[in-house]
Amino acid sequence: MKRETQNILLILLGGALVKIAVNGDYLRYVKPAQQPWIIAGGAVMVLLGAVAIVRDLVASRRAVPAEHAEHDGHDGHAHSARPAWLLLVPVLAVFLVAPPALGADSVIRTEARVPASAAVADAAAFPPLPAGNVVPLAVNEFVSRAGWDSAGTLTGRTVSLTGFVVHTDGSTLLARLVISCCAADAFPVTVRLRGGAADHLPSDAWIQVTGEVVPGTATKDNSYTPDFTPTSVTPVPTPKDPYEY
């Protein structure tokens, strides 16, 4: 690959990193805490590429090897550089069109589970839910309580959950993906929706459901997927940050 192509590729890749960090698309790949590192890394790549281009321009003005330019015109090197430019295509794709976050396909391919921290928790680790007619909970916390809270803090309480629809094995699930660092280590947490209120919605549609857990339905045999009886199902926009932590 020619130096010119390398430098342009470096600038474009760095610019793509800065772009997704500023507009929030980076949340499809990593945790929010990584934003400063992405911006810094992208800025350094842009700076290095720009400095290299300036240095090459200065050097070329000092010595213009006309005989080499004429030689390059006849030995086919111009054609050999074309494949190198193809490497810019994926970088431009990220720069112009960010891939979507993980969704229903990832849930179907990966077994649902609760975090390891919940598996060693005891009842004291789950304080009573706050007062209120409807308690908003992260799906991650809801599944952890349903599977491991022997005190039954969810029983009889109306909660609100937000996630995306997954249709699998004749069931409709509400799901979220949990990451500890980046999308590569994502695992799903899922809730089985009873009553058919969300059966007509397409997979990956985001919804907010209100209702109650069916006690005792989250077990090891079903990958700690509790049953949930919704009293309302409301479509909502895809959140800027689609993951839980």
Side-chain angles (χ1 to χ4, degrees), residues 142 157-159 161 191-197 209-215 217 226-233:
F142 178 81
R157 298 300 305 273
T158 301
V159 301
L161 307 173
V191 175
R192 183 174 293 101
L193 301 178
R194 287 189 172 186
V209 297
T210 301
E212 295 185 13
V213 69
V214 179
T217 54
D227 284 8
F228 187 82
T229 304
T231 55
S232 68
V233 177

Side-chain angles (χ1 to χ4, degrees), residues 84-137:
W85 282 97
L86 295 178
L87 296 176
L88 297 177
V89 174
V91 178
L92 288 173
V94 173
F95 195 89
L96 299 174
V97 182
L102 301 177
D105 288 342
S106 298
V107 174
I108 294 172
R109 293 195 305 265
T110 308
E111 183 179 5
R113 68 178 191 266
V114 294
S117 57
V120 298
D122 55 23
F126 297 99
L129 293 177
N133 293 329
V134 179
V135 180
L137 286 180

Side-chain angles (χ1 to χ4, degrees), residues 219-241:
T219 66
K220 183 179 180 180
D221 292 338
N222 66 10
S223 300
Y224 298 100
T225 297
D227 284 8
F228 187 82
T229 304
T231 55
S232 68
V233 177
T234 306
V236 295
T238 301
K240 192 69 174 178
D241 185 356

Side-chain angles (χ1 to χ4, degrees), residues 3 17 37 53-54 71 107-108 117 119 131 141-144 166-167 180-181 183 192 209 215 230-231 244:
R3 283 180 56 85
L17 289 177
W37 298 105
I53 289 176
V54 171
H71 178 70
V107 174
I108 294 172
S117 57
E141 180 182 355
F142 178 81
V143 171
S144 297
V166 179
H167 298 291
S180 58
C181 176
R192 183 174 293 101
V209 297
T231 55
E244 291 184 354

Side-chain angles (χ1 to χ4, degrees), residues 20-116:
I20 65 174
V22 171
N23 68 12
D25 285 343
Y26 78 100
L27 293 171
R28 301 176 183 180
Y29 317 108
V30 297
K31 297 175 66 172
Q34 304 298 324
Q35 184 187 39
W37 298 105
I38 298 173
I39 293 176
V44 168
M45 294 174 72
V46 171
L47 180 61
L48 289 175
V51 169
I53 289 176
V54 171
R55 290 181 62 183
D56 289 346
L57 288 174
V58 172
S60 65
R61 290 180 180 179
R62 290 177 179 174
V64 183
E67 67 279 8
H68 292 321
E70 181 180 354
H71 178 70
D72 289 344
H74 296 285
D75 65 3
H77 287 176
H79 295 285
S80 64
R82 289 178 182 175
W85 282 97
L86 295 178
L87 296 176
L88 297 177
V89 174
V91 178
L92 288 173
V94 173
F95 195 89
L96 299 174
V97 182
L102 301 177
D105 288 342
S106 298
V107 174
I108 294 172
R109 293 195 305 265
T110 308
E111 183 179 5
R113 68 178 191 266
V114 294

